[in-house]
Amino acid sequence: MSNIGINLVEVDGRATPSIQGAATSVAGFLGRTTRGVPGVRNVTNWSDFLESFGPHRSGAFLAYAIKGFFENGGAQAYVARIVDNTALASTIGWGPSNGYTLTAAYRGQLDPGPWGDKIKVTVTNPPKGNDPAATWTLVVEYDGKVVETWDHLPFTAAGVAKINDEFSGSKFVKMVCPDASVVPPLAATALAGGADTMDQTAINTFAIAALGGGLNPTGVFDTYNVQLIACPETTDDTVLTQGISYCGGRGDCIYIAATPDTTPAAAQSFGLAKRANNVYAALYYPFVRVSDPLGSVLWIPPVGHVMGVYARTELE
């Protein structure tokens, strides 16, 4: 028999296949959080999320979804906080004309929301006199616990800059100091005035804009290499439609959504209405029950948990 150019090679199946499947491990989440500087931040584990966005927030699903993502095998996520444009960061003013201020912030960037009202600050300032080596100290408490102590700060702009540094500065406050050579003392005082309130309509409007809809020509994840996008805060049909449109326009990611938590028949009807060719999305039902640190148990959209399984499967 002549050789027709076909050679059989037996392998054990462990080699990397020559044709790779599309990556499905990097997630993009939109949602409401306890805190967080507006914009997109990368988190690689639950501790990262807690540092940047705080613990679970009553009435918001994102923290539960993120935890489900990491517990089910997710390794990397980009998170964009849904926050009211009129949200306020907690603050305190003291000294001449209250010109010295400390405001809730993370690494020099303002961090709005009522979470900052749990911050208490103390500035101790021994008499400087003519001592060029004199220093001052800032102590930051959060929820009754000392979380930061900034001591040996010089009476120069460098002392304030250390607190506001974008890489190693405070994770709780930003300071404005009109005259760094004179830092008035401040007894332990709580920040106040933090605000961030949004109803479901406002949440949906924000999500649509973040996905490149409404009057916004771009999406918050445009410059990020995400393959899975979700907004656990809503099952709104308009948001879903915009998510499908955004991911279809990109062509490199899919929108993961949940049907409304209703009857199986209604969920099926909801999903069938979205069927079409080349739809860059996946719908899931039902909601899942999770332990709730703020209560006992809670039913939440399954998108975070599902995305964790997607990511784990791709990484394995």
Side-chain angles (χ1 to χ4, degrees):
M1 180 178 178
S2 62
N3 189 329
I4 60 174
I6 297 176
N7 297 301
L8 299 179
V9 179
E10 293 185 4
V11 298
D12 59 10
R14 290 179 294 181
T16 301
S18 58
I19 299 176
Q20 295 291 325
T24 55
S25 61
V26 182
F29 284 95
L30 285 166
R32 300 172 68 216
T33 59
T34 297
R35 61 173 298 190
V37 175
V40 179
R41 185 173 296 273
N42 180 230
V43 295
T44 57
N45 53 55
W46 176 240
S47 296
D48 269 358
F49 179 84
L50 288 177
E51 179 178 306
S52 297
F53 297 99
H56 299 79
R57 175 175 177 173
S58 179
F61 290 143
L62 180 62
Y64 302 92
I66 287 284
K67 199 167 192 298
F69 174 73
F70 287 122
E71 287 179 344
N72 281 277
Q76 184 176 189
Y78 289 94
V79 180
R81 178 186 178 188
I82 291 178
V83 60
D84 192 347
N85 291 331
T86 60
L88 300 174
S90 306
T91 189
I92 180 68
W94 81 104
S97 302
N98 282 335
Y100 293 79
T101 62
L102 283 161
T103 306
Y106 183 91
R107 307 289 200 207
Q109 294 182 283
L110 297 187
D111 191 341
W115 77 276
D117 289 3
K118 295 182 179 181
I119 298 173
K120 185 178 288 187
V121 289
T122 304
V123 177
T124 56
N125 178 0
K128 179 182 178 183
N130 294 319
D131 181 6
T135 60
W136 57 281
T137 299
L138 168 66
V139 177
V140 182
E141 298 177 45
Y142 180 69
D143 204 14
K145 298 179 181 179
V146 174
V147 290
E148 293 180 342
T149 299
W150 299 87
D151 52 10
H152 299 94
L153 296 170
F155 284 91
T156 65
V160 178
K162 186 174 182 180
I163 294 172
N164 298 338
D165 187 88
E166 63 177 315
F167 299 109
S168 59
S170 172
K171 299 176 183 177
F172 292 87
V173 293
K174 177 180 181 179
M175 187 173 189
V176 172
C177 189
D179 183 0
S181 66
V182 181
V183 181
L186 176 67
T189 307
L191 275 59
D196 170 30
T197 57
M198 299 183 76
D199 60 20
Q200 191 61 55
T201 299
I203 292 170
N204 293 343
T205 299
F206 185 105
I208 290 169
L211 293 168
L215 299 177
N216 191 2
T218 61
V220 295
F221 297 118
D222 279 1
T223 59
Y224 298 92
N225 182 29
V226 295
Q227 295 100 38
L228 307 168
I229 296 178
C231 180
E233 307 297 344
T234 181
T235 57
D236 180 74
D237 184 84
T238 307
V239 176
L240 172 59
T241 299
Q242 182 57 39
I244 294 172
S245 175
Y246 176 72
C247 292
R250 282 181 53 141
D252 62 354
C253 59
I254 60 174
Y255 190 72
I256 308 297
T259 68
D261 189 28
T262 180
T263 65
Q268 184 180 40
S269 177
F270 184 88
L272 288 174
K274 295 299 178 184
R275 293 184 66 180
N277 294 328
N278 301 321
V279 176
Y280 284 71
L283 275 174
Y284 288 90
Y285 171 86
F287 278 29
V288 295
R289 189 174 71 168
V290 299
S291 297
D292 184 7
L294 304 179
S296 54
V297 295
L298 183 70
W299 290 90
I300 68 167
V303 293
H305 296 69
V306 169
M307 289 161 74
V309 175
Y310 269 66
R312 185 183 73 232
T313 302
E314 195 270 326
L315 292 171
E316 290 179 348

